[in-house]
Amino acid sequence: MRNLLSFIGVFSLLILHAQESELEIELRDALNAPLAGATVVVKTSNDSLIANGLSNVLGSFSKQLPLAAHRVQISLIGYRDTVFSVAPLNGGFPRLRLSMKENRELLDEVQVDAMAESQTIKGDTTIMNAEAFKVAEDASTGELLGKMPGVEINNGSVQAQGEEVTKVFVDGKPFFGEDSKAALDLIPAEMVKGIKIYDRQSDQARFTGFRDGETDKTLDIITKKEKRFGVFGQLNGGYGTDDTYQLNTQVNLFRNKERISFILTSDNVNGTGNGLGQFARRRGRNIPVTNVPSGIATAWNAGVNYSNSYKNGLDLQASYSYNQNDREEESKRLRAYILPSDSGQTYREVERSLTQTYSHNLNLDLEWQIDSNHAIEFDPNFSFDRYSRINNTASQTRQSDQLLNSNVRQSSFMEDSWSLNGELLYKYAFPKKGRTFSTSLEYDNEHSDASESLDALGAFRNSENDTISQITRSSGRSPVLSGELVFTEPLGEKGLLEMRYEVERDRQNDDRRTFDLAASDADEVLDSTLSNVFVSDVYTQEYSLGYQWEAEETWSFSTRVGGQHVL
């Protein structure tokens, strides 16, 4: 009985197998080339799926199918769908060779809208996505920054994450030296791919890997790759009544790593000083560092910036800028007293002043990677500033029509100051990772000479006149020369030992003398209460030994012990 059942089972399988046949299809294009990757779907007459698959690299598709009528659908991107029916012929399916036609009809536009990610945080670095912030087509990078959270631009300073930004780069390179406003005004927002904000370690720390605690809040403008080639800029100006005018010219020539920028601006309508001068460092000891908001100013700004990276490992950035500002101010005051004790009393004052400033700034930043072990950095800077101010004030106090007192005051101030500073750094990396040696020499010299005069006359109804006539001369010298030796040695996989020696000589010489002028201007009498002379010469040596253990990029442990010798 068991053998009989086995025979019946085998016979049934043979009958079923005899009811199937292979369907073979070859797909070709108009040039008779095979079409690979076409989707083939086979269904029964009642729309039930029997088989599906893809054509191979030879454009062939084959499947064993029941001997019955079927519907076949073939689809391939770029070609029209092919649908046909196939039925057995002479006990099997015919071998099919099909030519598919291209679909030349244009598809409707498909638009995908999504919210662009505004920022990405990696450790202590924040990267802002420029595409997530909408600005006008002709907007500057400064206007783009104003849209970003955590970034504020106020009275010539940029703050990010609650800290003042001290360095602004373009694609990781300096731009117009320390004048960060130049980059914000000169680079159009449409060129910007993103803004990177981070705490930049000192040159020594970035080389040795040993964090010395010296960081600069840095803002790096990352440009789009396709925008790093070409010439772009803007030219706009205007002329109005009372001979008012405004001119703004900016030209940028970018050839990937080689970049040249020119700027020329001028106006007499209290313009923003677009591009230069707003963030320039003032070296003078008595020059105000804030802009005077009142008055009418005439400003001129001009500058050129050049940067390039050469094949021999040399990176160069150089810039020159000239800034001039003439400001006229006039104010009038009228004060009326209404209290019974001073009823009918009035005070009138007229004040006029003229302020003139101009400065020259020259910056150079040179980095030379001699080979994989040796590198040299040199960044000298020079600036010259002149500041002058003349002020005249006249005032009267009256009781009805009777003059109670009057004052006339005239003062002037002029200061010339210059500064020269720079650092020369040599770095050597040993073959052993983490073992480094570096030495640096830094020089900073600030020099200023100023002269100030004051003439005042006070007239009173019931007392003698009060007269003041003074002249003040001051000068300042502050040369600082310092040197440093640093050696690092790795201790284990995550530890680093640092040995450091520093020497510095700081000389300060401030001389301020005030003289009272007698009836004859030829006689000068020293006023000791308003005069002082300060001289200092400090020689400092510091030596330290530090250890750093960095477990991860987000945190580390460091300690240092050292001594100092001061003369």
Side-chain angles (χ1 to χ4, degrees), residues 116-378:
E117 188 175 8
S118 61
Q119 64 180 9
T120 304
I121 300 177
K122 299 179 180 178
D124 62 352
T125 301
T126 301
I127 302 176
M128 300 283 191
N129 181 12
E131 294 183 356
F133 305 93
K134 301 299 181 182
V135 293
E137 291 184 1
D138 59 346
S140 66
T141 300
E143 293 171 299
L144 174 64
L145 283 175
K147 301 281 187 177
M148 295 182 173
V151 181
E152 296 182 3
I153 301 178
N154 255 328
N155 297 326
S157 73
V158 180
Q159 285 195 340
Q161 299 167 347
E163 299 180 43
E164 184 174 357
V165 173
T166 55
K167 290 185 181 294
V168 174
F169 293 152
V170 177
D171 292 326
K173 303 296 182 182
F175 195 78
F176 272 104
E178 295 182 356
D179 193 356
S180 52
K181 185 170 172 56
L184 304 186
D185 285 345
L186 282 174
I187 305 298
E190 64 177 0
M191 287 186 60
V192 181
K193 178 182 179 181
I195 302 293
K196 182 164 70 172
I197 302 171
Y198 64 101
D199 293 322
R200 179 182 172 89
Q201 302 289 329
S202 66
D203 292 339
Q204 285 279 17
R206 286 184 287 113
F207 171 65
T208 63
F210 196 102
R211 301 181 183 180
D212 53 13
E214 298 180 10
T215 61
D216 290 292
K217 181 62 71 173
T218 303
L219 189 147
D220 194 357
I221 302 170
I222 309 300
T223 61
K224 300 174 182 177
K225 289 185 178 181
E226 65 272 17
K227 298 289 187 179
R228 296 176 185 176
F229 293 86
V231 180
F232 61 92
Q234 60 175 295
L235 170 63
N236 55 66
Y239 183 82
T241 57
D242 299 325
D243 293 328
T244 56
Y245 70 91
Q246 187 171 36
L247 173 66
N248 182 12
T249 306
Q250 303 171 13
V251 180
N252 298 272
L253 294 85
F254 278 22
R255 290 183 292 185
N256 196 15
K257 295 181 180 179
E258 183 180 26
R259 303 179 179 187
I260 307 174
S261 298
F262 302 92
I263 181 172
L264 174 63
T265 68
S266 180
D267 69 76
N268 61 356
V269 290
N270 289 353
T272 59
N274 193 22
L276 294 172
Q278 297 297 308
F279 292 175
R281 180 180 176 187
R282 295 293 186 186
R283 301 284 183 173
R285 298 172 183 274
N286 301 301
I287 297 178
V289 296
T290 56
N291 294 326
V292 180
S294 59
I296 299 175
T298 302
W300 295 268
N301 300 291
V304 58
N305 183 83
Y306 177 82
S307 63
N308 199 2
S309 296
Y310 300 91
K311 293 182 179 179
N312 62 353
L314 180 65
D315 285 351
L316 173 66
Q317 187 273 332
S319 65
Y320 166 77
S321 64
Y322 171 79
N323 318 113
Q324 181 174 339
N325 187 290
D326 298 342
R327 183 177 295 273
E328 296 183 15
E329 301 173 68
E330 180 175 345
S331 64
K332 297 181 179 180
R333 297 180 180 88
L334 173 61
R335 187 182 302 138
Y337 298 87
I338 60 175
L339 293 178
S341 58
D342 298 320
S343 179
Q345 195 173 114
T346 60
Y347 172 81
R348 297 176 183 270
E349 179 185 277
V350 178
E351 181 179 7
R352 296 183 178 89
S353 65
L354 174 63
T355 305
Q356 294 180 314
T357 63
Y358 74 79
S359 64
H360 300 269
N361 298 278
L362 183 62
N363 302 280
L364 178 66
D365 194 322
L366 185 148
E367 297 182 12
W368 184 22
Q369 188 69 43
I370 303 172
D371 54 34
S372 59
N373 301 106
H374 303 265
I376 294 176
E377 296 182 10
F378 184 46

Side-chain angles (χ1 to χ4, degrees), residues 207-208 369 371-375 426-438 487-488:
F207 171 65
T208 63
Q369 188 69 43
D371 54 34
S372 59
N373 301 106
H374 303 265
Y426 168 75
K427 303 180 293 186
Y428 177 75
F430 291 87
K432 184 178 181 180
K433 184 180 180 180
R435 179 182 293 174
T436 66
F437 171 76
S438 60
F487 177 78
T488 62

Side-chain angles (χ1 to χ4, degrees), residues 415-447:
E415 180 179 46
D416 289 339
S417 61
W418 61 265
S419 69
L420 176 65
N421 65 87
E423 181 182 14
L424 178 63
L425 173 63
Y426 168 75
K427 303 180 293 186
Y428 177 75
F430 291 87
K432 184 178 181 180
K433 184 180 180 180
R435 179 182 293 174
T436 66
F437 171 76
S438 60
T439 180
S440 65
L441 183 66
E442 188 171 356
Y443 180 71
D444 190 348
N445 190 2
E446 298 184 9
H447 182 118

